[in-house]
Amino acid sequence: MMYETMKMKVECVVDRGYVGDEHIKTDKQREAFSRWADEFTRQDHSTVIQVLLENGQDKDITGVDMPNLVYVSRQKSKASHHHFKAGALNVLVRVSAAMTNAPLILTLDCDMYSNDPNTLVQVLCFMLDSKMLNYGYVQFPQRFHGINKNDIYGGENKRLFQINPIGMDGLAGTNYVGTGTFFRRQAFFGGPWSYVSAEKPELNPEHIVDKSIQSEAVLEMAQSVASCEYENGTKWGSKIGFRYGSLVEDYFTGYQLNCEGWDSVFYHPDRAAFSGDIPINLDDVLSQNKRWCVGLLEVAFSKYSPIIFGTQSRGILMGLAYSHFAFWGIWSIPITIYAFIPQLTLLNGVSPFPKVSDPWFLLYVFLFLGSYIQDCLDFMLMGTTFQRWWNDQRMWLIRGVSSYLFGSIEFFLKSLGISTFGFVITSKVIDDEQNKHYEQGVFEFGVASPLFVPLTTAAIINFIAFSVGVTRLILGHSKLEEIFIQLVLSGFGVVNCWPVYEAILLRNDKGKMSLKITILSSLLAFSLYSLSHCLAS
């Protein structure tokens, strides 16, 4: 009932554009909302820090003390660079230091909630153990509610959030994934055996706050450290706090802390500590992965490249583990090659692969089956189903010819100083029809996204190549042993692209493939065939 009341108030305020007097019940609320003047906008406003609850002062209806609860919105200015999420987190680190300076910090995405009240007790078992004083953070896996039966978009991200972290946990610890993470505040101020002091002693982790969080001195300090200009000339974002320099501030920060000497632990309890939402349409999924890809490549080709800097700092195994993530975008090269080249050569009567009778054929069989069987086994051992694994590998291929390809192109264009699209936040807003399609396990292609173009082009070329190959076999124009690998690859592509064919030919709902995308992809497929035919001639 309380939630529905709050929802009604929020919707009313959004519709009217201001907070009416009927929604203001206390002087404290009136003070908070008085800041929202006409010149106050989302992109340009002063710092807002409002104490909603103070421990020792506010109690619940049973008389039990409530914890401190403070609303913070950092200053924003059109002329300032905000560093997006990492910048916001650093403001919160500083404001919390000024007001309470608690030794533990939890980062949690806005779409996630606590699912186990015992989580903090479990974390303290790690943080208070004298043998684990070099543990900088405890990472819980991302777990999600509302995933449909077969997880058609691979939203669980088993490799990223569960399988790979287990392996890294056996070394120096897992990477930070941006949410569900408890940090030791000290970890943001240098390594366990070194120390970087903040420019204000009140922000250092050993400082003890002995004043009320509503005292004038504390609020004045909090306002000061939340301003846009505060970080100018300081070590915040480079040596202190969450690190700048990549769109994936979580990966970069965890990696930097690890290289500074902090270990971490991956804790995967049976009951999810936190649970959250996932995007439920394909464009949002691919856009999110494209942003991750750009950010990871920013680290991969920086002076902090895991191959060199990571290996020197934490050894070759941890260096390779972090490199596996950093070079995600490079997967676009082999995946795109295998999505187009064998099929185009099949259409032109050329075979780049060995015949079935050739001993080298066994190597292709071993690599293909071996990698897929291993990947499937990893998934099955994590308690998932075969169908979920199949959908995950399909999404990996889809990301390879879309997210990773576009992400790599965007990164290299940025490196050359050519402007590209800016930061895009993944939408978690749920449309009723999209939700219905998702629950039914039907792909959503309703947006005319450029990310769908290479995917649809690959689907068209694979279907035509497979059809032509089978026809040639039936007519006796080709021998099976000569085109076997090409037929298998194009057939594998057709099976994986089945949702695309449905969206083009069999659907009439809003989630069908845009006619613009279909026409553009068809023209691109014809152009690629014409080019390959010229080269083959």
Side-chain angles (χ1 to χ4, degrees):
M1 184 172 66
M2 291 170 64
Y3 173 80
E4 290 299 327
T5 301
M6 180 194 72
K7 180 181 176 182
M8 179 190 69
K9 289 180 180 179
V10 170
E11 290 175 345
C12 176
V13 169
V14 170
D15 288 341
R16 293 164 63 176
Y18 64 92
V19 181
D21 289 339
E22 69 275 16
H23 295 317
I24 300 176
K25 305 298 183 184
T26 65
D27 290 339
K28 189 177 290 188
Q29 291 178 359
R30 189 174 302 280
E31 178 189 351
F33 290 122
S34 66
R35 301 172 184 269
W36 295 79
D38 292 338
E39 66 275 9
F40 198 111
T41 67
R42 289 178 60 187
Q43 293 78 26
D44 194 353
H45 64 76
S46 59
T47 301
V48 178
I49 299 177
Q50 186 72 29
V51 177
L52 303 177
L53 297 173
E54 181 177 4
N55 182 252
Q57 300 293 324
D58 294 293
K59 302 179 184 296
D60 67 11
I61 58 173
T62 64
V64 176
D65 276 352
M66 296 292 284
N68 292 321
L69 179 61
V70 183
Y71 172 83
V72 180
S73 179
R74 60 176 170 157
Q75 180 188 6
K76 295 185 180 68
S77 170
K78 294 178 181 178
S80 300
H81 185 56
H82 301 308
H83 295 296
F84 302 111
K85 186 175 177 180
L89 287 169
N90 277 337
V91 168
L92 291 173
V93 170
R94 294 194 296 270
V95 170
S96 65
M99 303 188 83
T100 63
N101 214 22
L104 293 184
I105 295 173
L106 166 66
T107 62
L108 202 64
D109 278 349
C110 65
D111 61 320
M112 302 199 78
Y113 62 84
S114 174
N115 190 57
D116 185 352
N118 294 315
T119 298
L120 184 56
V121 177
Q122 297 165 351
V123 170
L124 291 175
C125 291
F126 294 105
M127 292 300 194
L128 298 181
D129 191 328
S130 59
K131 298 178 182 178
M132 300 179 179
L133 294 180
N134 64 329
Y135 274 27
Y137 58 91
V138 177
Q139 176 66 63
F140 289 85
Q142 283 208 43
R143 308 270 286 273
F144 305 98
H145 61 79
I147 295 178
N148 65 2
K149 180 181 178 182
N150 294 319
D151 191 16
I152 57 172
Y153 298 135
E156 279 187 313
N157 277 306
K158 284 277 188 182
R159 296 185 194 88
L160 175 61
F161 296 140
Q162 296 181 34
I163 296 174
N164 292 338
I166 290 176
M168 295 180 72
D169 199 43
L171 300 170
T174 183
N175 59 305
Y176 166 44
V177 297
T179 183
T181 317
F182 286 85
F183 287 92
R184 195 186 301 273
R185 184 180 289 271
Q186 182 187 349
F188 293 115
F189 295 83
W193 303 284
S194 61
Y195 185 73
V196 179
S197 179
E199 59 293 331
K200 290 182 182 290
E202 295 88 349
L203 301 182
N204 289 325
E206 73 280 359
H207 176 71
I208 296 175
V209 180
D210 55 2
K211 299 182 179 68
S212 164
I213 61 174
Q214 299 204 60
S215 68
E216 184 177 344
V218 167
L219 289 174
E220 184 178 337
M221 170 67 74
Q223 290 276 347
S224 170
V225 299
S227 68
C228 288
E229 296 79 21
Y230 180 80
E231 292 183 356
N232 295 341
T234 70
K235 297 177 182 178
W236 286 92
S238 58
K239 298 295 183 182
I240 301 177
F242 291 85
R243 307 306 161 85
Y244 306 149
S246 170
L247 285 176
V248 284
E249 81 298 321
D250 47 5
Y251 168 87
F252 194 36
T253 298
Y255 166 59
Q256 288 270 55
L257 296 184
N258 210 245
C259 290
E260 290 171 1
W262 290 104
D263 290 344
S264 58
V265 62
F266 178 68
Y267 186 48
H268 190 181
D270 292 335
R271 176 173 177 173
F274 304 98
S275 188
D277 293 324
I278 57 170
I280 61 168
N281 74 70
L282 187 59
D283 183 51
D284 284 343
V285 172
L286 298 182
S287 296
Q288 181 184 61
N289 276 270
K290 179 175 75 71
R291 174 167 54 84
W292 290 349
C293 176
V294 173
L296 290 168
L297 287 173
E298 287 173 338
V299 180
F301 289 95
S302 72
K303 65 179 181 180
Y304 297 107
S305 177
I307 287 184
I308 301 173
F309 185 83
T311 299
Q312 292 173 344
S313 301
R314 294 311 299 256
I316 188 169
L317 293 180
M318 282 300 288
L320 289 174
Y322 274 106
S323 296
H324 170 75
F325 296 117
F327 289 94
W328 258 9
I330 306 302
W331 279 116
S332 62
I333 298 174
I335 293 175
T336 303
I337 287 174
Y338 273 90
F340 290 99
I341 302 301
Q343 294 78 1
L344 291 171
T345 55
L346 178 60
L347 290 173
N348 287 286
V350 179
S351 179
F353 299 107
K355 298 178 181 179
V356 173
S357 57
D358 193 313
W360 283 105
F361 170 76
L362 297 177
L363 177 62
Y364 282 85
V365 174
F366 172 76
L367 292 174
F368 183 84
L369 294 180
S371 61
Y372 267 81
I373 290 173
Q374 178 194 348
D375 194 53
C376 181
L377 183 61
D378 284 341
F379 268 67
M380 302 301 278
L381 289 175
M382 291 302 295
T384 192
T385 63
F386 177 83
Q387 186 62 50
R388 284 198 172 198
W389 166 77
W390 175 264
N391 288 333
D392 186 274
Q393 69 81 32
R394 174 169 58 193
M395 281 304 302
W396 180 69
L397 296 173
I398 290 174
R399 291 195 297 266
V401 296
S402 56
S403 303
Y404 298 164
L405 180 62
F406 275 70
S408 299
I409 293 171
E410 182 173 325
F411 166 74
F412 287 112
L413 288 177
K414 284 177 64 177
S415 301
L416 296 172
I418 301 173
S419 62
T420 58
F421 294 107
F423 178 85
V424 178
I425 297 175
T426 306
S427 171
K428 300 290 178 65
V429 178
I430 299 176
D431 176 83
D432 289 340
E433 185 167 352
Q434 287 183 10
N435 190 55
K436 179 181 177 182
H437 291 161
Y438 182 71
E439 290 300 321
Q440 294 173 342
V442 178
F443 273 62
E444 187 73 31
F445 291 98
V447 180
S449 171
L451 290 165
F452 296 160
V453 174
L455 170 61
T456 308
T457 303
I460 292 170
I461 289 177
N462 274 265
F463 179 78
I464 294 174
F466 183 74
S467 302
V468 169
V470 171
T471 302
R472 286 178 181 172
L473 280 180
I474 293 173
L475 298 177
H477 295 161
S478 298
K479 295 180 180 179
L480 180 60
E481 70 166 4
E482 294 176 345
I483 65 169
F484 180 78
I485 296 181
Q486 290 162 288
L487 266 184
V488 169
L489 289 174
S490 57
F492 187 66
V494 168
V495 174
N496 275 292
C497 288
W498 178 251
V500 180
Y501 305 134
E502 275 188 324
I504 294 174
L505 301 171
L506 304 179
R507 292 171 59 182
N508 291 312
D509 54 62
K510 292 181 180 179
K512 68 179 181 179
M513 186 70 73
S514 163
L515 181 60
K516 182 194 302 183
I517 297 296
T518 303
I519 294 173
L520 183 58
S521 300
S522 300
L523 292 173
L524 184 57
F526 178 76
S527 300
L528 288 174
Y529 168 72
S530 300
L531 177 62
S532 66
H533 185 69
C534 292
L535 293 174
S537 301

